[in-house]
Amino acid sequence: MKILDFPSTTRTRVLAEKYGYDEFIVRRWFKFFGEDTIKIMETFEEGLPKYIRVNTIKIPEKELIKRLEVRGFRVDPTDIPYCYMVSNEPYSIGATPEYLMGYYYIMDKSSCVPPLVLAPKPGDLVVDLAASPGGKTTFLSMLMQNKGTVLAVEPQKERLQPLIDNVHRMGAMNVAVLNMDGRSIGKIREKVVGGVDKVLLDAPCTGEGIIHKDPSRKTDRDAKDLSFCSYLQKELILAAYDILKDGGELVYSTCSMAPEENEIVVDFLLEMRENVEVVEVEYGVEGLTIPELDLKWPEEIKKTRRLFPHIHRCSGFFIARIRKV
């Protein structure tokens, strides 16, 4: 896998030193995002709001908001359904009885988007690959009104218990947890006649988009990490697509800023499989199609979407909606 890199300049060296980044990241961001790179870095330094996602399985939205207001919290609606920004937090939003009872989940606004884009219906068979800790899994269950089935796939044993705990806390009764490598998900194809209705693949990634949460990612991700993640993501997206029924849909997402983990992975799927349609997403801004990416399907890639911290006030994120036609 070719990882893009670009020449160093005095400006990239100065900015990398000022904000504590490996210059490898800064050089690339300037090529991909231009002057917005500085805005992205400044926003990460300033920090981003905290968000919660209401769990309507257990409580109506208005009732939850009233209960939080009584406790001194203020939560404001966002442009994302069920997602509220915490604008006043007298104590930890994760220390309320309502949180412990599963009335809401603490998750970034960006993470609320993939389940909404996938839009599962009650009665669907849905697969959530790399599911732990369960924010998106339980959101899928909520959108399905606890009807149908969500197969929550998690390969790492040490991440199973947090997933199971959150499934129980949120009252997601239609979720089955599978401890398996998502690349082996094709095994269920033999058990499901015609394939599954929907797949959510929030892929493991380098996490450049969550530097505001984990500043170590400024320096501890390099070309080798990008190459490893991109290879894994390509294997996962093929496995995810192959278990879909005709007319089924896949949402691919990451919290990475790197096109090698995003647009290039979707372009790879378009090259490797027939009958792939990229569907417009209503949130975010158009995916990257700069010539340096050497995309084979740029017009399709334009339908993918990115969320940026300085524009959308959330983690850096990528979303692609894909249909098997």
Side-chain angles (χ1 to χ4, degrees), residues 114 118 199-205 229-230 232-234 236-237 250-254 260-263 265-266 269 305 317-322:
L118 191 63
V199 179
L200 176 61
L201 172 54
D202 187 50
C205 69
C229 286
S230 183
L232 173 61
Q233 290 151 358
K234 288 176 179 177
L236 285 169
I237 201 170
L250 157 70
V251 166
Y252 175 82
S253 63
T254 77
E260 293 92 340
E261 302 184 80
N262 296 321
E263 289 88 351
V265 173
V266 176
L269 174 64
R305 289 294 181 266
F317 218 77
F318 175 84
I319 309 107
R321 180 184 175 193
I322 297 155

Side-chain angles (χ1 to χ4, degrees), residues 147-203:
K147 299 172 183 177
T149 304
V150 180
L151 300 179
V153 177
E154 175 52 50
Q156 299 181 40
K157 287 186 177 180
E158 63 273 19
R159 289 173 60 84
L160 287 175
Q161 197 58 54
L163 171 60
I164 293 168
D165 290 345
N166 279 318
V167 166
H168 289 163
R169 183 173 67 87
M170 303 299 282
M173 303 298 291
N174 64 337
V175 175
V177 175
L178 303 179
N179 179 206
M180 65 182 296
D181 191 317
R183 291 170 290 186
S184 302
I185 196 64
K187 293 176 181 178
I188 75 164
R189 191 70 165 78
E190 303 169 1
K191 309 293 183 182
V192 181
V193 178
V196 305
D197 298 291
K198 309 265 179 146
V199 179
L200 176 61
L201 172 54
D202 187 50

Side-chain angles (χ1 to χ4, degrees), residues 76-125:
D76 300 320
T78 69
D79 56 332
I80 307 297
Y82 309 107
C83 178
Y84 289 77
M85 181 181 73
V86 181
S87 55
N88 187 57
E89 188 179 15
Y91 55 95
S92 173
I93 193 73
T96 69
E98 288 78 14
Y99 173 78
L100 296 174
M101 290 187 287
Y103 291 174
Y104 61 90
Y105 196 102
I106 301 169
M107 60 192 296
D108 192 77
K109 181 170 75 168
S110 60
S111 295
C112 294
V113 173
L116 288 168
V117 171
L118 191 63
K121 298 179 179 63
D124 279 349
L125 173 58

Side-chain angles (χ1 to χ4, degrees), residues 233-296:
Q233 290 151 358
K234 288 176 179 177
E235 289 188 308
L236 285 169
I237 201 170
L238 290 179
Y241 181 79
D242 288 345
I243 63 170
L244 285 174
K245 67 194 297 185
D246 291 343
E249 291 193 357
L250 157 70
V251 166
Y252 175 82
S253 63
T254 77
C255 59
S256 173
M257 310 281 281
E260 293 92 340
E261 302 184 80
N262 296 321
E263 289 88 351
I264 290 175
V265 173
V266 176
D267 196 62
F268 171 79
L269 174 64
L270 288 161
E271 186 68 13
M272 296 298 293
R273 294 291 186 267
E274 297 179 351
N275 305 320
V276 180
E277 177 188 3
V278 181
V279 183
E280 294 273 4
V281 172
E282 63 180 293
Y283 307 101
V285 298
E286 194 174 274
L288 290 180
T289 55
I290 60 174
E292 287 82 359
L293 302 187
D294 194 27
L295 298 170
K296 297 178 176 63

